[in-house]
Amino acid sequence: MGLTVTGAETQDGTLAITLPPDDPACREALTRVGEALGDLSRAVSSRAGRPPSATVPLPGQDSPAVGFESIEGLPRINAAIQDLLDGVTFEILTAQPDGPRPIAVLDEALTSVRDRIAAGVSMRTLYQHSTRFDEPTKEYVRAVTSYGAQVRTLAEFFDRMIIVDRRAALIPANAARTSAVVITLPAVVHFLADIFERAWDRAESYPFLPVRAADAAPEVIPAIRGSIRRLLIEGRSDKEIARRLGLSLRSLQAHVARLKEEHGAEHRLQLGYLMGLRSVAAADREREADGP
């Protein structure tokens, strides 16, 4: 998948990850890696007759691989997350895509966030722009930032991720998020933290004023629609676009309707075609402006 090169370029012979972390192909490749790890874990566990949460052996190795653990089922995933958070000493980085989170989840998290920050732990969270229009999420962010946490938003982000003390990371291993991988291999954890930092640099601070969604919309709607344009040109389905941007299908379809009106398109296929033409024309103009 183009993610790694052999140890020739490194002094200790470790693998080096080279694909730019803001490349969409990188996000897709990482998802495929997670799914492959889950499949491998299940296959190995079936042969060995042990639970699927065992550490994943790599092909050709007699001993388990150091740094990767596949976990199956939401109860075990939640327990693994709690174990990671219970051992934190200085920093928690989290990415929470898919738009607004349930009120019960937010309420439950408040006490934990307050206690950890009081103990000197730094916390940063990335949400998607769509959370700016959700009142429970705004109230939660207002509370945790008053404790000392930092929150920013992006139009689009990679999948859910938790990084603790730069020593361990947990990412989903399938689209349904019923499988996960705990990563403790330092090189991979460092790579994931670097992805987070790059996304954090591009993200915008979570606003509290103006409080009305209609007033806040001009700050984030252009970025959301820009992402919708790109994903439509790529041929993504409405369901996939909505999931990646943390929007409801109804909200997405409203954005698509406005884009159709803007481009004079009669249907979705024509819209993607017209936007693709406009994108190519804009690229050509940029090349001409840059000169030979």
Side-chain angles (χ1 to χ4, degrees), residues 5 18 68 73 102 114 118 135 142 159 163 205 229 252 281 288-289:
V5 295
T18 59
F68 295 93
R114 183 177 62 244
E135 288 301 325
R142 189 191 305 274
D159 215 330
I163 302 174
S205 297
R229 288 188 183 94
L252 173 65
E288 291 174 359

Side-chain angles (χ1 to χ4, degrees), residues 62-289:
D62 295 329
S63 59
V66 176
F68 295 93
E69 182 181 355
S70 180
I71 303 172
E72 298 293 331
L74 292 178
R76 290 186 176 183
I77 292 173
N78 290 333
I81 292 173
Q82 192 60 50
D83 286 344
L84 288 175
L85 297 180
D86 286 345
V88 66
T89 59
F90 70 90
E91 182 186 57
I92 299 173
L93 307 176
T94 63
Q96 303 287 355
D98 298 341
R101 303 176 70 193
I103 296 176
V105 173
L106 296 175
D107 289 343
E108 184 178 348
L110 274 177
T111 301
S112 174
V113 171
R114 183 177 62 244
D115 292 346
R116 289 192 170 92
I117 290 180
V121 174
S122 167
M123 297 186 68
R124 285 186 284 159
T125 297
L126 278 168
Y127 286 129
Q128 290 176 293
H129 282 339
S130 55
T131 60
R132 294 181 178 221
F133 309 111
D134 180 67
E135 288 301 325
T137 304
K138 287 199 291 185
E139 289 302 316
Y140 170 80
V141 173
R142 189 191 305 274
V144 297
T145 52
S146 71
Y147 303 152
Q150 299 179 65
V151 180
R152 294 184 183 181
T153 67
L154 280 171
E156 184 184 2
F157 195 53
F158 46 84
D159 215 330
R160 195 177 304 277
M161 181 169 66
I162 299 173
I163 302 174
V164 175
D165 289 345
R166 310 278 172 139
R167 62 174 174 78
L170 186 143
I171 61 174
N174 61 5
R177 296 181 182 146
T178 56
S179 298
V181 178
V182 176
I183 302 167
T184 53
L185 190 66
V188 180
V189 175
H190 174 77
F191 172 67
L192 294 174
D194 185 61
I195 292 178
F196 182 95
E197 294 291 356
R198 289 169 184 260
W200 183 263
D201 289 342
R202 299 195 312 272
E204 300 177 24
S205 297
Y206 201 104
F208 300 108
L209 294 172
V211 297
R212 293 192 304 127
D215 294 333
E219 298 182 16
V220 296
I221 292 299
I224 291 174
R225 291 211 174 131
S227 295
I228 292 173
R229 288 188 183 94
R230 179 176 57 77
L231 294 170
L232 284 172
I233 292 172
E234 292 178 4
R236 309 286 183 174
S237 68
D238 284 358
K239 184 176 180 180
E240 183 178 3
I241 295 173
R243 182 184 67 80
R244 289 179 61 164
L245 300 184
L247 300 171
S248 67
L249 274 175
R250 184 175 181 178
S251 295
L252 173 65
Q253 289 162 359
H255 285 296
V256 172
R258 292 294 298 272
L259 289 172
K260 287 179 183 177
E261 182 180 340
E262 177 184 332
H263 289 79
E266 297 182 2
H267 48 75
R268 191 180 183 282
L269 180 62
Q270 186 182 26
L271 174 63
Y273 174 73
L274 292 173
M275 289 192 302
L277 286 181
R278 182 174 295 187
S279 177
V280 170
D284 289 341
R285 286 194 298 270
E286 288 182 5
R287 283 194 293 270
E288 291 174 359

Side-chain angles (χ1 to χ4, degrees), residues 44-58:
V44 171
S45 299
S46 176
R47 291 186 182 182
R50 58 178 180 263
S53 60
T55 304
V56 182
L58 295 179

